[in-house]
């Protein structure tokens, strides 16, 4: 049940701020049991300051999460979870536009190294494609390996945090004490995190079913391979304060404050190599268009066609579409150089510029007649 804004404000006024920084949606296939928008809406209703969507080696769900967060006070953070071939597990959170780009390159590298639907990432590959511009959360396994934290701390100085995930497994006190001691010894700050797989506890049955499907085992036989309880949901702030020291909750919110990237910053960027060095998109497109016009009308470009080309190029310039036309020209030229049959189509195809570039083969004036 969603809390009303009034209830939310009054019920959380005396509570520490909190941001969930490790959260999977159903875009982590057969692991996450909630849609991105459900996670965003629930986190906002609970009064969280931020939510990081960290699907496994993927940012596929962030667009839907971003659209849901646009009307909320909640801050959305883009991240991804990774499990290395050696078993080390971490999450990377984009701090800025550069960090987002490097995060995406790391995902691409890991996906391309494996069969479709899977990924692989070694320590050497993580070092080679280190996601600079990201905060790194070390996600310790059931058995805490100090060597993992030490290795990450050396490679991500100042950016590494230890995610303390207390999930009421019976050893929370001992785990907190061990991680606190380890963090103090290595100089790595700690923060609270929830390993979230669902927006509400009621999704546990679905999450169990997904686990059974993923393991290809009848659900009645999965047994201890299921999570022991339903704690991997977006927990109420009051519940969190009973489990975590306030400083760890505040540390999560403070790290979220340092993440400045938003999908609103992204714009489509055309490849730079479509324009030769020393030329501008405007000048290059004009040269290609008139060179092509000379081939279309070897006896001389008719005045009406010359004026028509000038008009179209001026309109393209007003809209800033030169890179688009050059990209299409580049694709078509490559295809034809390899003997691949292709034909430009769409609303821009019925233009003199496309005809002169060779993107289309029918004179638009003849087609109009």
């Amino acid at each position: 049940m969603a809390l009303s804004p009034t209830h939310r404000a009054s019920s959380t006024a005396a509570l520490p701020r909190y941001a969930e920084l490790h959260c999977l949606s159903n875009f982590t296939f057969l692991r996450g049991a909630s849609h991105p928008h459900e996670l965003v809406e629930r986190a906002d209703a609970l009064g969280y300051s931020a939510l990081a969507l960290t699907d496994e080696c993927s940012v596929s769900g962030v667009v839907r999460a971003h659209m849901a967060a646009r009307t909320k006070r909640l801050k959305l953070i883009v991240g991804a979870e990774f499990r290395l071939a050696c078993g080390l597990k971490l999450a990377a959170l984009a701090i800025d536009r550069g960090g987002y780009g490097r995060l995406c390159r790391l995902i691409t590298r890991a996906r391309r190294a494996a069969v479709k639907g899977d990924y692989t990432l070694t320590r050497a590959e993580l070092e080679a494609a280190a996601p600079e511009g990201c905060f790194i959360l070390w996600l310790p396994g059931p058995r805490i390996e100090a060597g993992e934290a030490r290795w990450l701390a050396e490679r991500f100085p100042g950016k590494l945090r230890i995610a303390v995930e207390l999930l009421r497994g019976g050893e929370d006190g001992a785990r907190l004490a061990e991680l606190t001691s380890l963090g103090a010894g290595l100089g790595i700050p700690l923060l609270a995190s929830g390993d979230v797989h669902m927006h509400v506890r009621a999704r546990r049955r679905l999450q169990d079913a997904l686990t059974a499907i993923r393991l290809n085992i009848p659900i009645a036989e999965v047994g201890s391979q299921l999570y022991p309880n339903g704690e991997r949901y977006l927990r109420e702030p009051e519940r969190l304060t009973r489990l975590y020291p306030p400083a760890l909750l505040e540390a999560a919110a403070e790290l979220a404050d340092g993440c400045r990237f938003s999908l609103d910053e992204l714009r489509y960027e055309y490849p730079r190599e479509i324009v030769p060095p020393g030329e501008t998109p405007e000048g290059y497109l004009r040269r290609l268009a008139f060179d092509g016009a000379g081939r279309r009308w070897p006896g001389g470009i008719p005045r009406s066609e010359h004026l028509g080309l000038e008009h179209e190029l001026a309109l393209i310039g007003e809209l800033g579409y030169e890179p688009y036309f050059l990209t299409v020209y580049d694709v078509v030229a490559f295809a034809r150089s390899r003997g691949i049959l292709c034909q430009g189509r769409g609303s821009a195809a019925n233009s003199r510029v496309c005809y002169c570039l060779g993107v289309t083969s029918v004179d638009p004036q003849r087609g109009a007649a």
Side-chain angles (χ1 to χ4, degrees), residues 285-286 288-290 292-293 296-297 305 308-314 316 322 325-326 329 348-360 364:
L285 180 62
R286 168 176 288 275
L288 289 175
F290 278 100
R296 292 297 191 188
W297 295 283
E305 300 298 339
L309 268 177
E310 290 286 5
H311 173 73
E312 288 186 10
L313 288 169
I316 291 169
E322 290 93 347
F325 281 85
L326 290 172
Y329 164 77
N350 188 31
S351 68
R352 291 179 177 86
V353 170
C354 283
Y355 179 58
C356 292
L357 292 177
V359 171
T360 55

PDB file of all heavy atoms in Angstrom, residues 285-286 288-290 292-293 296-297 305 308-314 316 322 325-326 329 348-360 364:
ATOM      1  N   LEU A 285      28.381  17.945 -46.808  1.00  0.00           N
ATOM      2  CA  LEU A 285      27.108  17.547 -47.417  1.00  0.00           C
ATOM      3  C   LEU A 285      26.850  18.347 -48.690  1.00  0.00           C
ATOM      4  O   LEU A 285      26.415  17.796 -49.710  1.00  0.00           O
ATOM      5  CB  LEU A 285      25.959  17.757 -46.429  1.00  0.00           C
ATOM      6  CG  LEU A 285      24.570  17.378 -46.953  1.00  0.00           C
ATOM      7  CD1 LEU A 285      24.504  15.892 -47.294  1.00  0.00           C
ATOM      8  CD2 LEU A 285      23.479  17.740 -45.940  1.00  0.00           C
ATOM      9  N   ARG A 286      27.147  19.638 -48.652  1.00  0.00           N
ATOM     10  CA  ARG A 286      26.950  20.463 -49.848  1.00  0.00           C
ATOM     11  C   ARG A 286      27.827  19.964 -50.994  1.00  0.00           C
ATOM     12  O   ARG A 286      27.362  19.848 -52.139  1.00  0.00           O
ATOM     13  CB  ARG A 286      27.284  21.923 -49.514  1.00  0.00           C
ATOM     14  CG  ARG A 286      27.415  22.853 -50.732  1.00  0.00           C
ATOM     15  CD  ARG A 286      27.643  24.281 -50.297  1.00  0.00           C
ATOM     16  NE  ARG A 286      26.414  24.820 -49.737  1.00  0.00           N
ATOM     17  CZ  ARG A 286      25.442  25.368 -50.464  1.00  0.00           C
ATOM     18  NH1 ARG A 286      25.569  25.447 -51.797  1.00  0.00           N
ATOM     19  NH2 ARG A 286      24.377  25.850 -49.904  1.00  0.00           N
ATOM     20  N   LEU A 288      29.081  16.919 -51.480  1.00  0.00           N
ATOM     21  CA  LEU A 288      28.588  15.628 -51.973  1.00  0.00           C
ATOM     22  C   LEU A 288      27.326  15.800 -52.812  1.00  0.00           C
ATOM     23  O   LEU A 288      27.154  15.141 -53.853  1.00  0.00           O
ATOM     24  CB  LEU A 288      28.298  14.696 -50.798  1.00  0.00           C
ATOM     25  CG  LEU A 288      29.489  14.146 -50.016  1.00  0.00           C
ATOM     26  CD1 LEU A 288      28.999  13.341 -48.811  1.00  0.00           C
ATOM     27  CD2 LEU A 288      30.365  13.268 -50.908  1.00  0.00           C
ATOM     28  N   ALA A 289      26.437  16.685 -52.344  1.00  0.00           N
ATOM     29  CA  ALA A 289      25.174  16.880 -53.051  1.00  0.00           C
ATOM     30  C   ALA A 289      25.411  17.451 -54.447  1.00  0.00           C
ATOM     31  O   ALA A 289      24.829  16.970 -55.440  1.00  0.00           O
ATOM     32  CB  ALA A 289      24.259  17.796 -52.246  1.00  0.00           C
ATOM     33  N   PHE A 290      26.258  18.458 -54.569  1.00  0.00           N
ATOM     34  CA  PHE A 290      26.474  19.066 -55.886  1.00  0.00           C
ATOM     35  C   PHE A 290      27.356  18.191 -56.780  1.00  0.00           C
ATOM     36  O   PHE A 290      27.207  18.203 -58.001  1.00  0.00           O
ATOM     37  CB  PHE A 290      27.026  20.480 -55.742  1.00  0.00           C
ATOM     38  CG  PHE A 290      25.945  21.494 -55.483  1.00  0.00           C
ATOM     39  CD1 PHE A 290      25.689  21.966 -54.199  1.00  0.00           C
ATOM     40  CD2 PHE A 290      25.148  21.953 -56.528  1.00  0.00           C
ATOM     41  CE1 PHE A 290      24.685  22.883 -53.961  1.00  0.00           C
ATOM     42  CE2 PHE A 290      24.140  22.873 -56.311  1.00  0.00           C
ATOM     43  CZ  PHE A 290      23.894  23.346 -55.016  1.00  0.00           C
ATOM     44  N   GLY A 292      27.129  14.952 -56.728  1.00  0.00           N
ATOM     45  CA  GLY A 292      26.137  13.986 -57.196  1.00  0.00           C
ATOM     46  C   GLY A 292      25.217  14.584 -58.241  1.00  0.00           C
ATOM     47  O   GLY A 292      24.832  13.915 -59.212  1.00  0.00           O
ATOM     48  N   ALA A 293      24.862  15.842 -58.045  1.00  0.00           N
ATOM     49  CA  ALA A 293      24.009  16.512 -59.031  1.00  0.00           C
ATOM     50  C   ALA A 293      24.702  16.583 -60.390  1.00  0.00           C
ATOM     51  O   ALA A 293      24.070  16.427 -61.439  1.00  0.00           O
ATOM     52  CB  ALA A 293      23.644  17.905 -58.547  1.00  0.00           C
ATOM     53  N   ARG A 296      24.133  13.293 -61.937  1.00  0.00           N
ATOM     54  CA  ARG A 296      22.744  13.077 -62.331  1.00  0.00           C
ATOM     55  C   ARG A 296      22.397  13.855 -63.602  1.00  0.00           C
ATOM     56  O   ARG A 296      21.609  13.402 -64.425  1.00  0.00           O
ATOM     57  CB  ARG A 296      21.804  13.510 -61.190  1.00  0.00           C
ATOM     58  CG  ARG A 296      21.862  12.657 -59.928  1.00  0.00           C
ATOM     59  CD  ARG A 296      21.434  11.223 -60.178  1.00  0.00           C
ATOM     60  NE  ARG A 296      21.240  10.488 -58.913  1.00  0.00           N
ATOM     61  CZ  ARG A 296      21.014   9.188 -58.843  1.00  0.00           C
ATOM     62  NH1 ARG A 296      20.957   8.473 -59.979  1.00  0.00           N
ATOM     63  NH2 ARG A 296      20.848   8.599 -57.687  1.00  0.00           N
ATOM     64  N   TRP A 297      22.977  15.057 -63.724  1.00  0.00           N
ATOM     65  CA  TRP A 297      22.717  15.891 -64.894  1.00  0.00           C
ATOM     66  C   TRP A 297      24.056  16.249 -65.547  1.00  0.00           C
ATOM     67  O   TRP A 297      24.567  17.372 -65.386  1.00  0.00           O
ATOM     68  CB  TRP A 297      21.965  17.157 -64.482  1.00  0.00           C
ATOM     69  CG  TRP A 297      20.587  16.862 -63.950  1.00  0.00           C
ATOM     70  CD1 TRP A 297      19.478  16.554 -64.671  1.00  0.00           C
ATOM     71  CD2 TRP A 297      20.183  16.870 -62.572  1.00  0.00           C
ATOM     72  NE1 TRP A 297      18.396  16.355 -63.847  1.00  0.00           N
ATOM     73  CE2 TRP A 297      18.796  16.544 -62.546  1.00  0.00           C
ATOM     74  CE3 TRP A 297      20.836  17.110 -61.360  1.00  0.00           C
ATOM     75  CZ2 TRP A 297      18.072  16.457 -61.355  1.00  0.00           C
ATOM     76  CZ3 TRP A 297      20.111  17.029 -60.182  1.00  0.00           C
ATOM     77  CH2 TRP A 297      18.743  16.694 -60.182  1.00  0.00           C
ATOM     78  N   GLU A 305      16.678  22.744 -60.578  1.00  0.00           N
ATOM     79  CA  GLU A 305      17.247  21.749 -59.665  1.00  0.00           C
ATOM     80  C   GLU A 305      18.288  22.384 -58.747  1.00  0.00           C
ATOM     81  O   GLU A 305      18.387  22.032 -57.569  1.00  0.00           O
ATOM     82  CB  GLU A 305      17.877  20.599 -60.461  1.00  0.00           C
ATOM     83  CG  GLU A 305      16.911  19.861 -61.365  1.00  0.00           C
ATOM     84  CD  GLU A 305      15.794  19.193 -60.578  1.00  0.00           C
ATOM     85  OE1 GLU A 305      15.959  18.955 -59.364  1.00  0.00           O
ATOM     86  OE2 GLU A 305      14.743  18.895 -61.183  1.00  0.00           O
ATOM     87  N   GLY A 308      16.414  24.196 -56.186  1.00  0.00           N
ATOM     88  CA  GLY A 308      15.785  23.222 -55.290  1.00  0.00           C
ATOM     89  C   GLY A 308      16.786  22.642 -54.296  1.00  0.00           C
ATOM     90  O   GLY A 308      16.484  22.471 -53.103  1.00  0.00           O
ATOM     91  N   LEU A 309      17.998  22.330 -54.773  1.00  0.00           N
ATOM     92  CA  LEU A 309      19.046  21.822 -53.887  1.00  0.00           C
ATOM     93  C   LEU A 309      19.424  22.862 -52.832  1.00  0.00           C
ATOM     94  O   LEU A 309      19.597  22.530 -51.655  1.00  0.00           O
ATOM     95  CB  LEU A 309      20.285  21.438 -54.700  1.00  0.00           C
ATOM     96  CG  LEU A 309      20.394  20.003 -55.192  1.00  0.00           C
ATOM     97  CD1 LEU A 309      21.653  19.831 -56.037  1.00  0.00           C
ATOM     98  CD2 LEU A 309      20.417  19.026 -54.018  1.00  0.00           C
ATOM     99  N   GLU A 310      19.567  24.094 -53.250  1.00  0.00           N
ATOM    100  CA  GLU A 310      19.917  25.157 -52.309  1.00  0.00           C
ATOM    101  C   GLU A 310      18.837  25.290 -51.228  1.00  0.00           C
ATOM    102  O   GLU A 310      19.143  25.450 -50.039  1.00  0.00           O
ATOM    103  CB  GLU A 310      20.096  26.485 -53.039  1.00  0.00           C
ATOM    104  CG  GLU A 310      21.338  26.569 -53.922  1.00  0.00           C
ATOM    105  CD  GLU A 310      22.624  26.715 -53.096  1.00  0.00           C
ATOM    106  OE1 GLU A 310      22.559  26.656 -51.843  1.00  0.00           O
ATOM    107  OE2 GLU A 310      23.693  26.885 -53.703  1.00  0.00           O
ATOM    108  N   HIS A 311      17.579  25.201 -51.662  1.00  0.00           N
ATOM    109  CA  HIS A 311      16.476  25.318 -50.712  1.00  0.00           C
ATOM    110  C   HIS A 311      16.511  24.169 -49.701  1.00  0.00           C
ATOM    111  O   HIS A 311      16.365  24.391 -48.487  1.00  0.00           O
ATOM    112  CB  HIS A 311      15.139  25.319 -51.460  1.00  0.00           C
ATOM    113  CG  HIS A 311      13.946  25.275 -50.548  1.00  0.00           C
ATOM    114  ND1 HIS A 311      13.538  26.360 -49.802  1.00  0.00           N
ATOM    115  CD2 HIS A 311      13.092  24.248 -50.255  1.00  0.00           C
ATOM    116  CE1 HIS A 311      12.480  26.003 -49.083  1.00  0.00           C
ATOM    117  NE2 HIS A 311      12.176  24.736 -49.349  1.00  0.00           N
ATOM    118  N   GLU A 312      16.704  22.944 -50.184  1.00  0.00           N
ATOM    119  CA  GLU A 312      16.725  21.782 -49.289  1.00  0.00           C
ATOM    120  C   GLU A 312      17.921  21.838 -48.341  1.00  0.00           C
ATOM    121  O   GLU A 312      17.787  21.541 -47.142  1.00  0.00           O
ATOM    122  CB  GLU A 312      16.762  20.487 -50.100  1.00  0.00           C
ATOM    123  CG  GLU A 312      15.445  20.182 -50.799  1.00  0.00           C
ATOM    124  CD  GLU A 312      15.458  18.828 -51.485  1.00  0.00           C
ATOM    125  OE1 GLU A 312      16.424  18.054 -51.261  1.00  0.00           O
ATOM    126  OE2 GLU A 312      14.525  18.534 -52.249  1.00  0.00           O
ATOM    127  N   LEU A 313      19.081  22.229 -48.860  1.00  0.00           N
ATOM    128  CA  LEU A 313      20.270  22.308 -48.001  1.00  0.00           C
ATOM    129  C   LEU A 313      20.099  23.376 -46.921  1.00  0.00           C
ATOM    130  O   LEU A 313      20.557  23.203 -45.786  1.00  0.00           O
ATOM    131  CB  LEU A 313      21.507  22.603 -48.846  1.00  0.00           C
ATOM    132  CG  LEU A 313      21.999  21.433 -49.715  1.00  0.00           C
ATOM    133  CD1 LEU A 313      23.064  21.912 -50.698  1.00  0.00           C
ATOM    134  CD2 LEU A 313      22.556  20.311 -48.838  1.00  0.00           C
ATOM    135  N   ALA A 314      19.423  24.477 -47.256  1.00  0.00           N
ATOM    136  CA  ALA A 314      19.166  25.525 -46.264  1.00  0.00           C
ATOM    137  C   ALA A 314      18.240  25.005 -45.168  1.00  0.00           C
ATOM    138  O   ALA A 314      18.448  25.269 -43.977  1.00  0.00           O
ATOM    139  CB  ALA A 314      18.559  26.753 -46.937  1.00  0.00           C
ATOM    140  N   ILE A 316      17.798  21.815 -44.306  1.00  0.00           N
ATOM    141  CA  ILE A 316      18.563  20.827 -43.530  1.00  0.00           C
ATOM    142  C   ILE A 316      19.475  21.533 -42.532  1.00  0.00           C
ATOM    143  O   ILE A 316      19.619  21.107 -41.390  1.00  0.00           O
ATOM    144  CB  ILE A 316      19.375  19.914 -44.479  1.00  0.00           C
ATOM    145  CG1 ILE A 316      18.433  19.005 -45.280  1.00  0.00           C
ATOM    146  CG2 ILE A 316      20.394  19.082 -43.708  1.00  0.00           C
ATOM    147  CD1 ILE A 316      19.103  18.260 -46.415  1.00  0.00           C
ATOM    148  N   GLU A 322      22.382  17.759 -41.028  1.00  0.00           N
ATOM    149  CA  GLU A 322      23.451  17.312 -41.923  1.00  0.00           C
ATOM    150  C   GLU A 322      24.061  15.975 -41.486  1.00  0.00           C
ATOM    151  O   GLU A 322      24.262  15.087 -42.336  1.00  0.00           O
ATOM    152  CB  GLU A 322      24.550  18.376 -42.014  1.00  0.00           C
ATOM    153  CG  GLU A 322      24.152  19.637 -42.755  1.00  0.00           C
ATOM    154  CD  GLU A 322      23.626  20.710 -41.803  1.00  0.00           C
ATOM    155  OE1 GLU A 322      23.351  20.375 -40.625  1.00  0.00           O
ATOM    156  OE2 GLU A 322      23.494  21.858 -42.241  1.00  0.00           O
ATOM    157  N   PHE A 325      21.905  12.980 -42.713  1.00  0.00           N
ATOM    158  CA  PHE A 325      22.021  12.674 -44.144  1.00  0.00           C
ATOM    159  C   PHE A 325      23.378  12.055 -44.466  1.00  0.00           C
ATOM    160  O   PHE A 325      23.467  11.132 -45.288  1.00  0.00           O
ATOM    161  CB  PHE A 325      21.797  13.947 -44.973  1.00  0.00           C
ATOM    162  CG  PHE A 325      20.351  14.311 -45.130  1.00  0.00           C
ATOM    163  CD1 PHE A 325      19.695  15.053 -44.166  1.00  0.00           C
ATOM    164  CD2 PHE A 325      19.632  13.896 -46.250  1.00  0.00           C
ATOM    165  CE1 PHE A 325      18.360  15.380 -44.294  1.00  0.00           C
ATOM    166  CE2 PHE A 325      18.291  14.227 -46.394  1.00  0.00           C
ATOM    167  CZ  PHE A 325      17.647  14.970 -45.415  1.00  0.00           C
ATOM    168  N   LEU A 326      24.424  12.536 -43.817  1.00  0.00           N
ATOM    169  CA  LEU A 326      25.759  11.986 -44.065  1.00  0.00           C
ATOM    170  C   LEU A 326      25.870  10.552 -43.543  1.00  0.00           C
ATOM    171  O   LEU A 326      26.557   9.718 -44.156  1.00  0.00           O
ATOM    172  CB  LEU A 326      26.819  12.871 -43.408  1.00  0.00           C
ATOM    173  CG  LEU A 326      27.016  14.248 -44.052  1.00  0.00           C
ATOM    174  CD1 LEU A 326      27.939  15.111 -43.202  1.00  0.00           C
ATOM    175  CD2 LEU A 326      27.575  14.113 -45.471  1.00  0.00           C
ATOM    176  N   TYR A 329      24.057   8.374 -46.024  1.00  0.00           N
ATOM    177  CA  TYR A 329      24.914   8.276 -47.215  1.00  0.00           C
ATOM    178  C   TYR A 329      26.056   7.305 -46.987  1.00  0.00           C
ATOM    179  O   TYR A 329      26.374   6.471 -47.858  1.00  0.00           O
ATOM    180  CB  TYR A 329      25.468   9.665 -47.553  1.00  0.00           C
ATOM    181  CG  TYR A 329      26.640   9.643 -48.510  1.00  0.00           C
ATOM    182  CD1 TYR A 329      26.442   9.427 -49.882  1.00  0.00           C
ATOM    183  CD2 TYR A 329      27.942   9.818 -48.044  1.00  0.00           C
ATOM    184  CE1 TYR A 329      27.524   9.395 -50.756  1.00  0.00           C
ATOM    185  CE2 TYR A 329      29.021   9.779 -48.905  1.00  0.00           C
ATOM    186  CZ  TYR A 329      28.811   9.567 -50.258  1.00  0.00           C
ATOM    187  OH  TYR A 329      29.884   9.517 -51.129  1.00  0.00           O
ATOM    188  N   ALA A 348      12.272  11.514 -45.800  1.00  0.00           N
ATOM    189  CA  ALA A 348      13.335  12.324 -46.395  1.00  0.00           C
ATOM    190  C   ALA A 348      13.785  11.796 -47.742  1.00  0.00           C
ATOM    191  O   ALA A 348      14.563  12.450 -48.447  1.00  0.00           O
ATOM    192  CB  ALA A 348      14.529  12.388 -45.442  1.00  0.00           C
ATOM    193  N   ALA A 349      13.311  10.593 -48.112  1.00  0.00           N
ATOM    194  CA  ALA A 349      13.805   9.990 -49.356  1.00  0.00           C
ATOM    195  C   ALA A 349      13.338  10.759 -50.592  1.00  0.00           C
ATOM    196  O   ALA A 349      14.034  10.797 -51.609  1.00  0.00           O
ATOM    197  CB  ALA A 349      13.338   8.538 -49.445  1.00  0.00           C
ATOM    198  N   ASN A 350      12.176  11.379 -50.521  1.00  0.00           N
ATOM    199  CA  ASN A 350      11.642  12.115 -51.664  1.00  0.00           C
ATOM    200  C   ASN A 350      12.233  13.525 -51.688  1.00  0.00           C
ATOM    201  O   ASN A 350      11.544  14.524 -51.597  1.00  0.00           O
ATOM    202  CB  ASN A 350      10.113  12.163 -51.579  1.00  0.00           C
ATOM    203  CG  ASN A 350       9.499  12.748 -52.835  1.00  0.00           C
ATOM    204  OD1 ASN A 350      10.033  12.604 -53.927  1.00  0.00           O
ATOM    205  ND2 ASN A 350       8.378  13.428 -52.676  1.00  0.00           N
ATOM    206  N   SER A 351      13.564  13.583 -51.827  1.00  0.00           N
ATOM    207  CA  SER A 351      14.240  14.873 -51.823  1.00  0.00           C
ATOM    208  C   SER A 351      15.354  14.864 -52.861  1.00  0.00           C
ATOM    209  O   SER A 351      15.896  13.819 -53.208  1.00  0.00           O
ATOM    210  CB  SER A 351      14.825  15.183 -50.439  1.00  0.00           C
ATOM    211  OG  SER A 351      15.903  14.301 -50.150  1.00  0.00           O
ATOM    212  N   ARG A 352      15.697  16.033 -53.336  1.00  0.00           N
ATOM    213  CA  ARG A 352      16.795  16.153 -54.292  1.00  0.00           C
ATOM    214  C   ARG A 352      18.117  15.757 -53.657  1.00  0.00           C
ATOM    215  O   ARG A 352      18.975  15.174 -54.312  1.00  0.00           O
ATOM    216  CB  ARG A 352      16.873  17.593 -54.805  1.00  0.00           C
ATOM    217  CG  ARG A 352      15.714  18.028 -55.686  1.00  0.00           C
ATOM    218  CD  ARG A 352      15.885  19.482 -56.102  1.00  0.00           C
ATOM    219  NE  ARG A 352      14.828  19.929 -56.998  1.00  0.00           N
ATOM    220  CZ  ARG A 352      13.659  20.410 -56.569  1.00  0.00           C
ATOM    221  NH1 ARG A 352      13.407  20.479 -55.266  1.00  0.00           N
ATOM    222  NH2 ARG A 352      12.753  20.818 -57.440  1.00  0.00           N
ATOM    223  N   VAL A 353      18.297  16.123 -52.375  1.00  0.00           N
ATOM    224  CA  VAL A 353      19.556  15.806 -51.716  1.00  0.00           C
ATOM    225  C   VAL A 353      19.785  14.296 -51.700  1.00  0.00           C
ATOM    226  O   VAL A 353      20.875  13.815 -52.037  1.00  0.00           O
ATOM    227  CB  VAL A 353      19.586  16.386 -50.287  1.00  0.00           C
ATOM    228  CG1 VAL A 353      20.789  15.856 -49.514  1.00  0.00           C
ATOM    229  CG2 VAL A 353      19.623  17.910 -50.329  1.00  0.00           C
ATOM    230  N   CYS A 354      18.779  13.514 -51.306  1.00  0.00           N
ATOM    231  CA  CYS A 354      18.929  12.052 -51.283  1.00  0.00           C
ATOM    232  C   CYS A 354      19.168  11.510 -52.689  1.00  0.00           C
ATOM    233  O   CYS A 354      19.965  10.576 -52.874  1.00  0.00           O
ATOM    234  CB  CYS A 354      17.688  11.399 -50.663  1.00  0.00           C
ATOM    235  SG  CYS A 354      17.621  11.516 -48.871  1.00  0.00           S
ATOM    236  N   TYR A 355      18.493  12.068 -53.679  1.00  0.00           N
ATOM    237  CA  TYR A 355      18.675  11.624 -55.066  1.00  0.00           C
ATOM    238  C   TYR A 355      20.097  11.903 -55.533  1.00  0.00           C
ATOM    239  O   TYR A 355      20.753  11.043 -56.141  1.00  0.00           O
ATOM    240  CB  TYR A 355      17.660  12.352 -55.949  1.00  0.00           C
ATOM    241  CG  TYR A 355      17.747  12.008 -57.418  1.00  0.00           C
ATOM    242  CD1 TYR A 355      17.608  10.700 -57.859  1.00  0.00           C
ATOM    243  CD2 TYR A 355      17.961  13.019 -58.364  1.00  0.00           C
ATOM    244  CE1 TYR A 355      17.675  10.395 -59.222  1.00  0.00           C
ATOM    245  CE2 TYR A 355      18.022  12.727 -59.715  1.00  0.00           C
ATOM    246  CZ  TYR A 355      17.889  11.413 -60.138  1.00  0.00           C
ATOM    247  OH  TYR A 355      17.950  11.115 -61.491  1.00  0.00           O
ATOM    248  N   CYS A 356      20.626  13.070 -55.205  1.00  0.00           N
ATOM    249  CA  CYS A 356      21.975  13.424 -55.629  1.00  0.00           C
ATOM    250  C   CYS A 356      23.040  12.647 -54.851  1.00  0.00           C
ATOM    251  O   CYS A 356      24.115  12.351 -55.384  1.00  0.00           O
ATOM    252  CB  CYS A 356      22.203  14.924 -55.470  1.00  0.00           C
ATOM    253  SG  CYS A 356      21.214  15.940 -56.598  1.00  0.00           S
ATOM    254  N   LEU A 357      22.743  12.284 -53.592  1.00  0.00           N
ATOM    255  CA  LEU A 357      23.689  11.489 -52.806  1.00  0.00           C
ATOM    256  C   LEU A 357      23.717  10.031 -53.235  1.00  0.00           C
ATOM    257  O   LEU A 357      24.628   9.291 -52.857  1.00  0.00           O
ATOM    258  CB  LEU A 357      23.322  11.564 -51.313  1.00  0.00           C
ATOM    259  CG  LEU A 357      23.487  12.911 -50.600  1.00  0.00           C
ATOM    260  CD1 LEU A 357      23.002  12.803 -49.168  1.00  0.00           C
ATOM    261  CD2 LEU A 357      24.941  13.383 -50.643  1.00  0.00           C
ATOM    262  N   GLY A 358      22.722   9.612 -54.024  1.00  0.00           N
ATOM    263  CA  GLY A 358      22.640   8.212 -54.423  1.00  0.00           C
ATOM    264  C   GLY A 358      21.904   7.344 -53.421  1.00  0.00           C
ATOM    265  O   GLY A 358      21.875   6.121 -53.557  1.00  0.00           O
ATOM    266  N   VAL A 359      21.325   7.989 -52.410  1.00  0.00           N
ATOM    267  CA  VAL A 359      20.555   7.229 -51.422  1.00  0.00           C
ATOM    268  C   VAL A 359      19.286   6.678 -52.061  1.00  0.00           C
ATOM    269  O   VAL A 359      18.841   5.568 -51.765  1.00  0.00           O
ATOM    270  CB  VAL A 359      20.215   8.118 -50.207  1.00  0.00           C
ATOM    271  CG1 VAL A 359      19.233   7.426 -49.262  1.00  0.00           C
ATOM    272  CG2 VAL A 359      21.495   8.490 -49.462  1.00  0.00           C
ATOM    273  N   THR A 360      18.686   7.466 -52.954  1.00  0.00           N
ATOM    274  CA  THR A 360      17.535   7.016 -53.738  1.00  0.00           C
ATOM    275  C   THR A 360      17.883   7.096 -55.213  1.00  0.00           C
ATOM    276  O   THR A 360      18.818   7.809 -55.611  1.00  0.00           O
ATOM    277  CB  THR A 360      16.297   7.880 -53.445  1.00  0.00           C
ATOM    278  OG1 THR A 360      16.622   9.261 -53.672  1.00  0.00           O
ATOM    279  CG2 THR A 360      15.841   7.702 -52.017  1.00  0.00           C
ATOM    280  N   PRO A 364      12.940  12.800 -57.703  1.00  0.00           N
ATOM    281  CA  PRO A 364      11.708  13.138 -57.004  1.00  0.00           C
ATOM    282  C   PRO A 364      10.774  13.989 -57.875  1.00  0.00           C
ATOM    283  O   PRO A 364       9.553  13.915 -57.717  1.00  0.00           O
ATOM    284  CB  PRO A 364      12.187  13.911 -55.772  1.00  0.00           C
ATOM    285  CG  PRO A 364      13.568  14.372 -56.106  1.00  0.00           C
ATOM    286  CD  PRO A 364      14.141  13.335 -57.008  1.00  0.00           C
TER     287      PRO A 364
END
